Amino acid sequence: DPTPDAYEDNNSEATATPLSDNAEQIHSIHQSNDKDYFSFSLSRTSSVSFQVHTSSESDLQFRVIYDRGVEFNLSNVSTNYEYRFADILNEGNYYLVIEENGNDDLVARYDLFFQTEPLPNEAPSNINLSSLAIKEGNSIGDVIGSLSSEDIDQNETHNYTIVAGNGDAHNTTFTISQDQLLADKIFDYEAQASYSIRIRSTDSYGANYEKPFNIIIEDVADNAPIGHVTNYLPANGATGVSINPTLFDW
């Protein structure tokens, strides 16, 4: 059992006691200004539950702090000397704070049980491309646009690939580097004004979403040809005609 002194070592965020999943810890609150801090981290959105059993009637209060400041109120079910809390929390680092509410200085031993269960992974639901056009006369490897995914799982990472399927007619004219779509051909608007490609987004759990895109080739005004006169004899032997040979645009 913990020594019922005024403050255990876990009385601040800096000295918070790490919580282990599916494990019980025993602690105590000695006086009204005593607080116990516990830390835990979630790698993905999870169902989180706490069970706190006290040795006698007490006025304990419970808070969960996310990213040093944002607090969440947990659903509370209490019976006699037992408190139960459950909520859905997103990926991140958290602190659980247990404290006396100031109504008494009762020594309160309590047993704390912590449990988490990651929620089922959801596949990405959409793919976005920051630009759908590129000017003709480009260089191979030029960036067309950046890819991003819509995913209900916060802070999820995604890998992008070009895949076969509906809308894949011109897949071979493009490549992907990380999250950027690149040109793998020098485009000519006069030859072809649009290309179709199919892209897949895969999250870190292997769930994926596919979407076709139509890439537009933008016309660029061609440089006007420059000509000059090489022979400038008067027609039909005409006389008195003055011709000034100068450069001109066709």
Side-chain angles (χ1 to χ4, degrees):
D1 290 356
T3 302
D5 56 0
Y7 297 100
E8 294 175 86
D9 291 337
N10 60 344
N11 62 344
S12 69
E13 292 182 6
T15 57
T17 300
L19 287 176
S20 298
D21 199 12
N22 293 311
E24 185 179 46
Q25 297 187 10
I26 300 174
H27 297 273
S28 66
I29 295 288
H30 179 65
Q31 60 190 41
S32 60
N33 59 350
D34 193 3
K35 298 179 182 180
D36 287 349
Y37 283 78
F38 304 90
S39 62
F40 63 97
S41 298
L42 301 175
S43 60
R44 56 179 297 187
T45 302
S46 303
S47 171
V48 177
S49 63
F50 305 94
Q51 295 182 30
V52 178
H53 183 81
T54 61
S55 58
S56 58
E57 185 177 357
S58 63
D59 296 314
L60 294 181
Q61 291 184 330
F62 305 86
R63 293 183 291 134
V64 169
I65 302 175
Y66 174 55
D67 276 352
R68 298 179 180 271
V70 180
E71 296 188 13
F72 291 84
N73 294 320
L74 301 182
S75 302
N76 176 18
V77 177
S78 60
T79 57
N80 296 328
Y81 304 150
E82 186 171 79
Y83 301 81
R84 295 182 181 180
F85 301 85
D87 210 340
I88 304 298
L89 300 179
N90 294 323
E91 172 186 350
N93 301 313
Y94 294 85
Y95 295 95
L96 169 67
V97 185
I98 300 178
E99 59 187 321
E100 258 285 343
N101 70 2
N103 291 339
D104 55 55
D105 292 335
L106 187 66
V107 174
R109 162 188 159 152
Y110 61 89
D111 304 317
L112 170 61
F113 185 78
F114 171 68
Q115 188 174 32
T116 66
E117 182 176 353
L119 296 185
N121 177 64
E122 297 288 342
S125 57
N126 194 21
I127 304 173
N128 298 310
L129 181 58
S130 63
S131 173
L132 296 171
I134 183 173
K135 295 182 185 298
E136 68 172 339
N138 61 286
S139 297
I140 293 178
D142 279 355
V143 175
I144 297 171
S146 297
L147 294 157
S148 61
S149 296
E150 297 177 18
D151 197 324
I152 194 172
D153 298 314
Q154 294 191 9
N155 301 318
E156 182 62 274
T157 58
H158 301 86
N159 180 58
Y160 299 98
T161 51
I162 298 173
V163 294
N166 181 41
D168 68 353
H170 307 108
N171 278 3
T172 58
T173 58
F174 304 92
T175 60
I176 290 178
S177 176
Q178 297 182 345
D179 64 348
Q180 294 187 321
L181 180 64
L182 310 178
D184 200 35
K185 175 180 180 176
I186 299 175
F187 296 108
D188 181 357
Y189 172 82
E190 283 71 25
Q192 187 168 336
S194 67
Y195 292 77
S196 60
I197 180 176
R198 187 174 184 85
I199 297 176
R200 173 186 293 164
S201 170
T202 305
D203 68 16
S204 60
Y205 293 90
N208 62 74
Y209 176 87
E210 297 179 6
K211 181 177 178 179
F213 291 89
N214 194 45
I215 307 301
I216 303 301
I217 310 305
E218 295 181 340
D219 190 20
V220 176
D222 295 328
N223 292 328
I226 303 299
H228 63 277
V229 177
T230 55
N231 297 309
Y232 31 89
L233 295 176
N236 301 321
T239 60
V241 177
S242 176
I243 299 178
N244 182 20
T246 58
L247 296 178
F248 61 89
D249 292 339
W250 291 98

